[in-house]
Amino acid sequence: MSQPIAQATMQVRIVEGHFLIEDGDIDPPAFPAFQGADDWLLTTDNEITVCSASGEWHVLEALLQRWTTTPPSPGPGWEVHQQRRCHFSSGVLDILNPAREEIFGTFYLETPGSYHVRAHTSDRENTRRMLDNAAITAGDQPIHVIERFLIQFWPAPEHTGDHTSTATEPHAPDRLTDVTTLERTARERRQRANDTQ
């Protein structure tokens, strides 16, 4: 069975409902525009935003992998996934909090360029419930490793002038912090529609 050519596991502290994977060459930092309430993997040039299933303060585990070709399915426990393309100017990626005050680790791609980015996680609704329930008893202590992400990178063909798969917009701080609310609202609308049928 094929294996990744590089990987790293990091503990990431979630404070505002998401974390960033950012190329060291990013200047100035960009902020992704949400395409829909169910988006949780967002990309712009040199930046990936990964949204947690919950806005609760917790520490999640992120496993990053670099592959030479499309990775095989990771198997049980990774039921949910989203895939994007992203262009990285240096290929040196910092994993950090939204305020860029805390770096949780650095991951090295082989070369700069365009990459497919595929993130896997478990059932987000179940994860949100577990995190919300754990927060009731956690007090001031962070909740550890209820949520996990597997983030895989492999080379993508270059398309001149089209490096991103998600639109960009000027800094809109409320949009990043409200992604969990957007997800919940969309789910609630779908549930109400199902209940009335």
Side-chain angles (χ1 to χ4, degrees), residues 28-196:
F31 292 85
F34 293 109
Q35 300 298 304
D38 291 327
D39 276 349
W40 52 268
L41 178 69
L42 310 168
T43 60
T44 66
D45 277 358
N46 287 327
E47 183 180 77
I48 300 167
T49 302
V50 183
C51 301
S52 170
S54 172
E56 297 293 348
W57 178 32
H58 68 284
V59 177
L60 60 77
E61 183 176 270
L63 171 60
L64 282 69
Q65 297 180 335
R66 177 165 51 90
W67 295 75
T68 55
T69 59
T70 306
S73 172
W78 303 109
E79 300 88 7
V80 179
H81 74 273
Q82 290 194 3
Q83 184 170 318
R84 304 281 187 267
R85 284 181 63 248
C86 193
H87 183 83
F88 300 106
S89 298
S90 74
V92 178
L93 308 182
D94 289 327
I95 292 75
L96 56 156
N97 68 357
R100 296 174 175 83
E101 297 168 340
E102 186 175 8
I103 297 177
F104 306 108
T106 302
F107 188 71
Y108 299 90
L109 300 174
E110 187 172 5
T111 58
S114 291
Y115 284 81
H116 296 287
V117 181
R118 188 169 69 199
H120 299 264
T121 190
S122 57
D123 180 275
R124 287 175 66 79
E125 182 62 25
N126 187 49
T127 299
R128 182 190 63 77
R129 278 195 303 269
M130 288 191 297
L131 284 165
D132 290 353
N133 289 337
I136 294 169
T137 58
D140 292 336
Q141 298 303 310
I143 305 154
H144 284 272
V145 194
I146 288 177
E147 186 169 36
R148 297 172 63 228
F149 288 96
L150 168 62
I151 303 167
Q152 300 169 313
F153 301 85
W154 68 98
E158 291 285 348
H159 294 286
T160 305
D162 182 25
H163 290 157
T164 64
S165 61
T166 303
T168 59
E169 65 174 11
H171 179 37
D174 291 341
R175 301 190 118 223
L176 284 176
T177 56
D178 286 349
V179 70
T180 302
T181 304
L182 289 171
E183 284 187 333
R184 288 182 190 171
T185 302
R187 279 193 297 269
E188 288 166 2
R189 281 197 306 264
R190 287 193 298 267
Q191 185 61 47
R192 281 196 298 272
N194 290 338
D195 291 344
T196 57

Side-chain angles (χ1 to χ4, degrees), residues 5-21:
I5 55 176
Q7 66 178 15
T9 302
M10 299 170 194
Q11 304 287 302
V12 178
R13 188 167 61 91
I14 297 297
V15 176
E16 296 179 17
H18 62 285
F19 67 96
L20 305 175
I21 302 172

